[in-house]
């Protein structure tokens, strides 16, 4: 049988949940962490998984380590696929520490990045400066994603501080606020030293803040399953490994045994 461009999967097979939004979506965004993919691997990722990726973060301070031609090609490819691409927030923290913020913004604009992450996961940053960085990103026409939480082992969520951070960041124009979990997903934020979700803390956060404006870093499959099962396919998830994008999309749609119940037919 010849496969034609008109051939499509039955919608109840492609998405048993029946709720997955197409891009540009407002719910269920997926942020991929790129820690050094080569250009061919990056092209392959977007060719295979581009429809399931909303944001790509070039992890930590990796952005200046690429040949400029490769970096610009990756940025352009991401934008062609409707993806927000930005350097990791740690790189902006380096710029703050080195008193090179203006140079940082000049360069990311010249390169064509369409997003920026504002964080203070490693350094101490006054609220005034955080406000200025968010405002600078907005003024440049960038999508601003902020991050709450410290990267140190054992760091936790301070609820009142989180609420204040989210409310101010959003008022200033941040599109999403990321909840820190690092690339390992252990011993930080809502995850314990084994990577298990601290549900009581999670519920405390959600009792005060809408889940629609939070991006949860969840690099481990067990974390993704847990959060999707608790909060549904529309949860925003980040720090997803490039090779796990389609596997995560299958979880969101109830196409894996772990979340099959999400797509169960209602009688």
């Amino acid at each position: 049988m010849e496969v034609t461009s008109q051939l499509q999967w039955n919608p109840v097979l492609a998405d048993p949940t029946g709720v997955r939004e197409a891009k540009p979506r407002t719910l269920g965004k997926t942020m991929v962490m790129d820690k050094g993919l080569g250009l061919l691997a990056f092209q392959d990722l977007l060719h295979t998984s581009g429809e399931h990726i909303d944001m790509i973060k070039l992890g930590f301070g990796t952005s200046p380590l690429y040949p400029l031609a490769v970096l610009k090609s990756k940025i352009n490819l991401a934008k062609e696929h409707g993806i927000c691409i930005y350097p990791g927030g740690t790189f902006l923290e380096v710029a703050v520490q080195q008193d090179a913020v203006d140079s940082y913004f000049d360069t990311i604009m010249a390169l064509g990045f369409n997003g920026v992450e504002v964080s203070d996961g490693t350094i101490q940053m006054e609220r005034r400066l955080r406000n200025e960085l968010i405002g600078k990103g907005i003024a440049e026409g960038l999508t601003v994603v902020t991050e709450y939480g410290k990267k140190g082992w054992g760091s936790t969520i301070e609820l009142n501080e989180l609420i204040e951070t989210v409310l101010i960041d959003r008022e200033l124009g941040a599109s999403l606020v990321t909840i820190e979990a690092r690339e390992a997903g252990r011993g930080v934020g809502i995850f314990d030293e084994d990577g298990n979700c601290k549900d009581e803390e999670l519920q405390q956060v959600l009792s005060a803040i809408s889940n629609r404006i939070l991006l949860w870093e969840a690099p481990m499959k067990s974390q993704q399953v847990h959060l999707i099962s608790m909060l549904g396919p529309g949860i925003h998830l980040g720090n997803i490994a490039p090779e796990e994008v389609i596997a995560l999309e299958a979880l969101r749609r109830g196409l894996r045994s772990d979340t099959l119940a999400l797509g169960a037919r209602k009688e």
Side-chain angles (χ1 to χ4, degrees):
M1 176 181 174
E2 183 180 353
V3 177
T4 68
S5 59
Q6 286 74 40
L7 180 61
Q8 293 183 332
W9 291 104
N10 186 319
V12 300
L13 296 177
D15 180 12
T17 69
V19 300
R20 192 74 174 116
E21 295 181 355
K23 291 168 62 173
R25 51 184 147 252
T26 57
L27 295 175
K29 293 186 178 184
T30 294
M31 179 266 278
V32 169
M33 187 181 205
D34 176 358
K35 298 188 292 184
L37 289 177
L39 186 54
L40 293 179
F42 194 82
Q43 291 173 323
D44 188 48
L45 170 68
L46 298 188
H47 179 71
T48 306
S49 310
E51 286 303 306
H52 312 306
I53 301 172
D54 303 276
M55 296 170 283
I56 293 176
K57 175 166 65 176
L58 301 185
F60 14 95
T62 56
S63 297
L65 304 182
Y66 293 98
L68 280 178
V70 172
L71 180 58
K72 292 180 73 171
S73 293
K74 293 178 80 167
I75 293 168
N76 291 334
L77 281 167
K79 293 194 296 185
E80 288 171 8
H81 284 78
I83 293 169
C84 177
I85 183 167
Y86 52 92
T90 300
F91 193 27
L92 181 51
E93 293 179 43
V94 171
V96 169
Q97 191 175 54
Q98 297 297 325
D99 194 23
V101 169
D102 288 342
S103 176
Y104 173 89
F105 275 96
D106 289 345
T107 306
I108 68 170
M109 295 303 300
L111 286 167
F113 281 105
N114 57 359
V116 66
E117 183 177 52
V118 177
S119 69
D120 57 0
T122 305
I123 67 173
Q124 296 299 318
M125 184 183 295
E126 294 182 2
R127 182 70 245 189
R128 174 192 55 78
L129 178 56
R130 187 180 178 96
N131 293 353
E132 291 176 3
L133 294 173
I134 295 171
K136 192 169 182 63
I138 297 296
E140 295 286 3
L142 298 168
T143 296
V144 177
V145 178
T146 62
E147 185 174 72
Y148 169 85
K150 295 298 182 183
K151 296 183 182 295
W153 179 267
S155 62
T156 58
I157 290 174
E158 300 295 335
L159 185 58
N160 291 335
E161 182 182 72
L162 171 61
I163 294 170
E164 180 182 23
T165 298
V166 171
L167 292 178
I168 296 175
D169 287 0
R170 288 282 290 175
E171 184 178 354
L172 292 171
S175 62
L176 290 172
V177 180
T178 305
I179 306 300
E180 175 69 65
R182 304 203 70 179
E183 58 180 303
R186 292 184 174 92
V188 177
I190 61 166
F191 301 119
D192 65 19
E193 62 274 11
D194 297 317
N196 298 314
C197 185
K198 296 183 281 190
D199 288 347
E200 185 176 345
E201 292 190 15
L202 174 64
Q203 293 296 349
Q204 287 177 344
V205 172
L206 295 178
S207 67
I209 301 171
S210 169
N211 193 39
R212 299 171 69 95
I213 61 178
L214 299 177
L215 172 67
W216 302 91
E217 292 185 346
M220 298 170 62
K221 177 201 169 187
S222 58
Q223 297 165 350
Q224 298 159 17
V225 171
H226 186 76
L227 291 171
I228 291 171
S229 298
M230 280 187 67
L231 304 173
I235 185 173
H236 306 305
L237 295 173
N239 280 13
I240 307 303
E243 67 273 16
E244 295 295 331
V245 173
I246 287 183
L248 170 59
E249 189 65 25
L251 286 175
R252 289 190 186 276
R253 298 181 183 217
L255 291 170
R256 294 179 73 173
S257 61
D258 309 88
T259 56
L260 196 69
L262 292 175
R265 293 182 62 185
K266 306 297 188 294
E267 300 297 337

